[in-house]
Amino acid sequence: MIFKQLFDTKSSTYTYFLADATTKEAVLIDPVDSQIEVYLALLASSDYLLKYSLETHVHADHVTASGDLRNRTQAQTGVSQKCGAVNASLQLNDGDILQFGRYALKVIATPGHTAGSVSYMCKNRLFTGDALLINGCGRTDFQGGSARMLFDSITQKIFTLPDETLIYPAHDYSGKRVSCVGQEKTINPRLAGKNCEEFLSIMNNLKLPKPKLIDIAVPANRMCGVTEEMVQQG
Ligand SMILES: [Fe+2]
């Protein structure tokens, strides 16, 4: 399998590219609008066929490239049906399987950062979005977030996967690129050795500022990043 971890420095977002080298079918997870030319060049570099452009959730800190990719390739966009992204090609549910070439991604509902947050599993890699970050986790104070739900998603779903499962988050702000379930269980300061009440106390006292782009990014991302005007133009 071809696998690339791409990075948008402005929003510190990781975008993941997965492809079958033989059939050329490819998937992008959490593409960023300003990086669209990078994705198109990558697709053209080996005649990849973008089958899916997927979101782990409706992001508050950047606008997705998914709608644009759907317009400029044959890709279908996919978002959890709990995200309220009305014009997504696919409304995804827990357990859905997305096939690309000889490989498949499994949708695992991991709500808590937002009500519609999902992770995607492909072989031994788990793309966790903002549910589980490396040494951290996503905030839970907007977009239907719930710290209690996030604790359950992490401890009952992600942490029940094999320890060797690789964790690829949607963001990192200090250059960390990959972790694994065993490591996060052991050293993640919000979760290691913490019960639910201790986790809730940490999450309820983060006192984070509102994301700068939330009022632009969330409505735009509910439209897969494409404005109404662009949708009307096709
Ligand atoms: Fe997020």
Side-chain angles (χ1 to χ4, degrees):
M1 187 170 69
I2 308 293
F3 172 71
K4 291 180 189 293
Q5 183 179 35
L6 309 168
F7 188 62
D8 173 55
T9 48
K10 195 167 169 219
S11 61
S12 296
T13 301
Y14 286 124
T15 298
Y16 299 98
F17 175 83
L18 299 88
D20 183 321
T22 306
T23 69
K24 303 289 184 184
E25 285 187 336
V27 176
L28 279 164
I29 299 173
D30 288 334
V32 177
D33 64 346
S34 58
Q35 302 289 327
I36 179 111
E37 297 305 330
V38 173
Y39 310 140
L40 293 173
L42 176 56
L43 291 167
S45 70
S46 193
D47 292 327
Y48 292 116
L49 306 161
L50 187 63
K51 190 168 180 193
Y52 300 115
S53 182
L54 306 173
E55 308 296 331
T56 53
H57 61 297
V58 163
H59 300 274
D61 62 333
H62 68 268
V63 175
T64 176
S66 279
D68 219 359
L69 284 163
R70 180 171 58 185
N71 287 344
R72 296 174 68 175
T73 71
Q74 66 296 313
Q76 291 189 293
T77 60
V79 188
S80 160
Q81 59 99 2
K82 294 202 171 78
C83 281
V86 287
N87 76 341
S89 317
L90 301 169
Q91 298 287 333
L92 302 174
N93 289 291
D94 185 56
D96 283 355
I97 303 287
L98 299 161
Q99 198 79 33
F100 61 103
R102 294 164 292 167
Y103 307 105
L105 286 165
K106 183 179 178 191
V107 178
I108 301 175
T110 47
H113 169 60
T114 71
S117 290
V118 297
S119 299
Y120 297 100
M121 185 95 192
C122 185
K123 290 180 166 274
N124 66 333
R125 292 185 173 103
L126 185 71
F127 303 95
T128 53
D130 293 357
L132 182 63
L133 305 177
I134 301 172
N135 281 356
C137 64
R139 62 196 290 178
T140 54
D141 54 339
F142 53 68
Q143 290 181 273
S146 156
R148 194 172 287 276
M149 235 193 266
L150 183 58
F151 186 80
D152 289 348
S153 290
I154 294 173
T155 58
Q156 293 172 25
K157 289 193 167 174
I158 298 174
F159 282 0
T160 59
L161 295 168
D163 279 355
E164 313 73 55
T165 307
L166 298 173
I167 300 293
Y168 286 98
H171 297 287
D172 193 83
Y173 303 93
S174 58
K176 300 185 293 304
R177 298 172 73 89
V178 61
S179 183
C180 67
V181 165
Q183 178 165 293
E184 291 310 308
K185 267 190 206 168
T186 313
I187 63 169
N188 189 309
R190 293 190 183 173
L191 293 146
K194 301 282 192 297
N195 63 30
C196 187
E197 296 313 312
E198 290 165 323
F199 179 75
L200 295 185
S201 154
I202 293 169
M203 296 308 290
N204 292 334
N205 288 291
L206 291 178
K207 298 188 175 66
L208 296 169
K210 185 175 158 181
K212 284 188 217 103
L213 274 180
I214 188 169
D215 295 328
I216 296 167
V218 169
N221 287 332
R222 290 216 174 96
M223 300 297 288
C224 294
V226 179
T227 65
E228 266 178 58
E229 203 177 296
M230 289 164 81
V231 169
Q232 281 160 10
Q233 286 168 2

